[in-house]
Amino acid sequence: MTIPNLRTPVPADPLAALRAWAGAPDSAELERLRRAFHPDFAGLALVEYAGERPAPDDPDAQVAAFRAMARGARRPGPAEVLEAVPATETGLPGELAASIAVDLFADAVAAHGPLAAAA
């Protein structure tokens, strides 16, 4: 499939096209991309790669947003990482979110220094 309005318009699978997306989040092209995914995956993919906001009661979408933060060009600070850990009913992050948090927190400390982590 060919997706218009990409940084480089080339034939691509939906996930590769979404990763290269450079349009507005509410555009018709984004809706075409959404329909290219399986319905169970479309929402998560759009949260993770297109910057859609996760539903506050959807832990999978919250983890997808957390993964998107981990892949961003700017390294978040340690406090930002801790604030972004998805909440659960027990107050503890799920295994996937905890794994992402540990990796992202280590990167944040390396980028911003141990004093930022201590604060």
Side-chain angles (χ1 to χ4, degrees):
M1 118 175 108
T2 300
I3 306 294
N5 291 340
L6 297 178
R7 292 181 196 115
T8 306
V10 295
D13 67 84
L15 191 54
L18 190 51
R19 285 180 175 143
W21 176 250
D26 58 349
S27 68
E29 288 85 9
L30 188 56
E31 184 56 34
R32 280 193 287 257
L33 264 177
R34 178 191 305 270
R35 282 184 259 132
F37 286 99
H38 186 279
D40 292 341
F41 183 63
L44 300 178
L46 293 169
V47 166
E48 191 163 342
Y49 294 103
E52 281 195 8
R53 292 180 175 239
D57 59 346
D58 184 349
D60 291 335
Q62 291 173 348
V63 169
F66 198 37
R67 283 196 307 249
M69 174 193 265
R71 270 199 286 285
R74 183 187 71 79
R75 289 289 139 219
E80 290 176 87
V81 172
L82 296 177
E83 289 171 4
V85 175
T88 63
E89 291 177 11
T90 64
L92 299 172
E95 290 179 20
L96 182 55
S99 174
I100 297 165
V102 168
D103 289 342
L104 192 52
F105 192 80
D107 287 348
V109 172
H112 297 276
L115 291 177

